[in-house]
Amino acid sequence: MYAVRIYEPGGPEALSYEEVDTPEPGAGMVRIKVRAAGVNHREIWQRQGLFGAFAQPQILGSDAAGEVDRLGVGVGGLEEGQRVVINPGLSCGLCSACLAGDQPACARFGLVSGAYAEYMVVPERNVVAMPSGLTFVEAASLGIPFVTAEAAFAAADVRPGQVVVLWGASGGLGMAALQLAKVRGARVVSVTRSAPKQEVLKKFRSDEVLVWDGSSALAPDVQRLTAGRGADVVMDSLGETTFNDSLAMCRRGGVVISVGATTGGKVALELGEIFRRRLTVIGAFLGSSSILPRILPLFARGQLMPVIDHVYPLEQADQAHEQLERGDVVGKVVLEV
Ligand SMILES: [Zn+2]
């Protein structure tokens, strides 16, 4: 088969489209004929070496949709040719966290990989039936962003009428978060770096849109929009540049969800800002395995929509990474196999 592999951390050019052995499914595993793979920031960080060097060549990619191609020994309940989506979380399945359905708390929690390829092998429990009405490209765009945003809002207990601020609202995670916050009945304040993106954010029912210049504090704007009260919940995927502003724009007792650090992860904090104002900081990294099967029907009912910015053929994974790194996206970048 053909796959995109990486040998050493580096720029987009480190991604190499080449012929490799087709993986065989072991016991309890399923081989998927990948039809589309979603591109996530996490893969850029992996490519850059943020999680370390590679002991052997790696095939990146955790979000995929395709068809069941071959079943390993002992796999039941799936048929060859069935259209499926990959649930990206991996965990031991045996510990108290896993048994309680809180897989991200498992000591062995991680993500499947190998989606940038014609075939990938995953555990049977990571395979979810694909709802009708979605294309492979759309289905491959959902996993990490929608599961992450839904898990984060559940942890923050977002309720109807609460004010939710979303940094990076027009990105893949942002567009998922915007829609899920509206499903929860929240009032959403979206932040974008790009004035032309205001229209699409309003089309997706963002109540307010703030256009950010990349440096100035937005807490005064949020205070103004909330009659001086502040936001109930702020989702911050940018990190270094914005985190203190996120704390400042929260109401007393508000919640900041840290869900990424695309501008860097080193932040100097005034702790008094947190304890005196009784703020809560929540870390979000994917979510439990029950979330994807639970939210997929909302796409069939039209309550949620995949938002695809651009589709690249698998061999142009380097260009897909370049576009995502530029931040020049509305929604998701997807590879088609
Ligand atoms: Zn576990």
Side-chain angles (χ1 to χ4, degrees), residues 15-305:
L15 300 171
S16 168
Y17 181 73
E18 58 192 28
E19 196 160 10
V20 301
D21 292 340
T22 303
E24 290 298 328
M29 307 291 278
V30 180
R31 186 165 75 196
I32 307 297
K33 181 175 171 54
V34 179
R35 301 291 298 271
V39 179
N40 291 287
H41 277 284
R42 180 182 161 81
E43 289 123 49
I44 291 175
W45 299 327
Q46 281 177 298
R47 194 205 71 215
Q48 292 170 337
L50 260 66
F51 308 133
F54 314 114
Q56 54 203 31
Q58 299 285 311
I59 302 175
L60 304 180
S62 304
D63 274 334
E67 290 147 321
V68 173
D69 180 67
R70 184 173 290 183
L71 304 176
V73 172
V75 175
L78 291 169
E79 288 176 17
E80 288 177 13
Q82 190 178 349
R83 292 151 66 98
V84 294
V85 188
I86 303 306
N87 208 348
L90 278 180
S91 59
C92 80
L94 300 169
C95 71
S96 57
C98 285
L99 293 175
D102 185 17
Q103 289 84 8
C106 174
R108 294 172 62 188
F109 189 71
L111 269 68
V112 302
S113 65
Y116 292 9
E118 289 181 299
Y119 295 90
M120 74 186 296
V121 168
V122 297
E124 177 187 15
R125 63 169 177 261
N126 287 78
V127 180
V128 180
M130 188 172 131
S132 59
L134 288 178
T135 65
F136 286 118
V137 164
E138 289 171 337
S141 76
L142 307 177
I144 290 178
F146 278 90
V147 170
T148 303
E150 176 59 15
F153 289 156
D157 193 20
V158 172
R159 297 180 187 198
Q162 287 196 321
V163 174
V164 175
V165 177
L166 302 174
W167 291 100
S170 56
L173 176 65
M175 293 302 289
L178 167 54
Q179 295 183 64
L180 289 164
K182 293 309 295 180
V183 166
R184 285 175 175 267
R187 178 183 168 206
V188 178
V189 179
S190 296
V191 181
T192 176
R193 300 274 316 255
S194 159
K197 290 178 185 167
Q198 289 179 89
E199 286 313 309
V200 69
L201 291 165
K202 283 178 181 156
K203 198 182 117 204
F204 278 87
R205 301 197 296 137
S206 184
D207 299 271
E208 321 277 351
V209 181
L210 297 174
V211 178
W212 181 52
D213 62 12
S215 59
S216 60
L218 291 184
D221 298 83
V222 172
Q223 297 294 341
R224 173 178 55 79
L225 290 172
T226 57
R229 184 170 172 275
D232 296 285
V233 176
V234 180
M235 181 181 275
D236 190 325
S237 56
L238 277 63
E240 205 160 300
T241 312
T242 52
F243 200 77
N244 274 298
D245 199 20
S246 294
L247 296 174
M249 66 178 63
C250 264
R251 67 165 166 86
R252 287 179 68 86
V255 179
V256 174
I257 303 165
S258 172
V259 73
T262 54
T263 64
K266 297 259 194 303
V267 179
L269 288 178
E270 169 49 52
L271 287 174
E273 177 79 353
I274 293 177
F275 66 77
R276 274 193 292 274
R277 299 182 57 236
R278 301 178 58 251
L279 302 182
T280 300
V281 176
I282 293 178
F285 176 50
L286 204 62
S288 70
S289 58
S290 64
I291 293 176
L292 189 63
R294 183 159 55 75
I295 63 175
L296 280 174
L298 300 182
F299 292 91
R301 292 209 293 269
Q303 280 180 272
L304 297 174
M305 271 178 64

